Amino acid sequence: AARSVRALADDPARLMGRLIQMLDQQMREKERLKLAFDNRHDGLWDWDFRSGEMYLSASWKEGLGYRDEEFGNDRGDWEVAIHPDDLPVVQDRVWRHLRGDGESFKIEYRLRAKDGDWQWMATLGRVVVRDDKGAPVRVVGTHRNITERKGWELELLRSKEVAESVSRA
């Protein structure tokens, strides 16, 4: 292996060709990942804790009725869309994880779509990079729209309540 590295270093044209090949392979892998998430109902998110910037996949935004540029890539933009009753619970769970509680976190909450309707989301995330003091640097995860499932759960609960009421009567 050391011989092949030395051979590449001695031949700049070969070295450049190998670097281009590696970059091309990396770009293809990124494109495949993007295609996989763009064709799912899940949304990918990636939060740079130091800058506060949060990447939110365009396909997830579109599922809520937004164009990519209409819904910002910032933690504040995401939090403003969370139902006010759910926001404290979401923030608490995320911050507990950031402080080291658990390998990952999962939370269900309501988020406002562009048309004003509340959509149920399940967010799963985890810190993937911490600095040498243990502070979070990068957090990644997924958002999944679970509105349909929540509707079924509510319908099942209503049916159960009606059956119990009929049984008591």
Side-chain angles (χ1 to χ4, degrees):
R3 200 178 285 176
S4 64
V5 169
R6 222 175 298 123
L8 281 174
D10 292 340
D11 185 352
R14 211 166 131 211
L15 177 61
M16 185 60 79
R18 180 69 180 125
L19 288 173
I20 290 170
Q21 182 183 17
M22 288 169 59
L23 287 172
D24 183 55
Q25 182 179 0
Q26 188 177 25
M27 290 300 294
R28 287 175 195 249
E29 288 173 11
K30 277 181 149 178
E31 288 170 0
R32 287 182 189 124
L33 183 60
K34 184 180 181 323
L35 282 171
F37 273 100
D38 284 350
N39 290 305
R40 294 187 53 164
H41 297 289
D42 293 353
L44 176 68
W45 57 271
D46 186 341
W47 178 16
D48 180 330
F49 197 74
R50 289 182 177 164
S51 72
E53 185 172 318
M54 178 184 273
Y55 165 79
L56 297 161
S57 58
S59 61
W60 177 75
K61 293 176 188 180
E62 289 170 10
L64 293 167
Y66 296 98
R67 290 190 318 271
D68 189 25
E69 64 276 1
E70 289 180 311
F71 195 109
N73 286 326
D74 175 291
R75 188 185 93 229
D77 294 320
W78 169 64
E79 286 184 343
V80 146
I82 296 173
H83 193 285
D85 293 344
D86 299 341
L87 183 59
V89 175
V90 171
Q91 289 174 326
D92 177 65
R93 184 62 195 107
V94 171
W95 288 108
R96 280 189 297 131
H97 174 69
L98 294 174
R99 287 190 306 267
D101 181 15
E103 288 186 30
S104 63
F105 69 90
K106 182 175 182 180
I107 187 86
E108 294 181 359
Y109 58 94
R110 292 162 290 177
L111 191 82
R112 187 177 302 278
K114 185 176 180 179
D115 65 7
D117 286 345
W118 293 104
Q119 302 286 315
W120 277 96
M121 294 291 138
T123 293
L124 176 65
R126 70 185 203 115
V127 174
V128 293
V129 178
R130 291 187 181 272
D131 66 17
D132 56 351
K133 295 178 182 170
V137 173
R138 185 170 174 220
V139 188
V140 299
T142 59
H143 293 299
R144 172 171 278 181
N145 190 322
I146 59 167
T147 303
E148 190 173 344
R149 187 193 90 201
K150 285 290 193 178
W152 295 335
E153 289 173 1
L154 184 59
E155 211 38 58
L156 187 60
L157 182 61
R158 285 183 187 146
S159 296
K160 181 182 173 210
E161 288 172 354
V162 166
E164 288 172 352
S165 176
V166 168
S167 177
R168 276 181 264 155

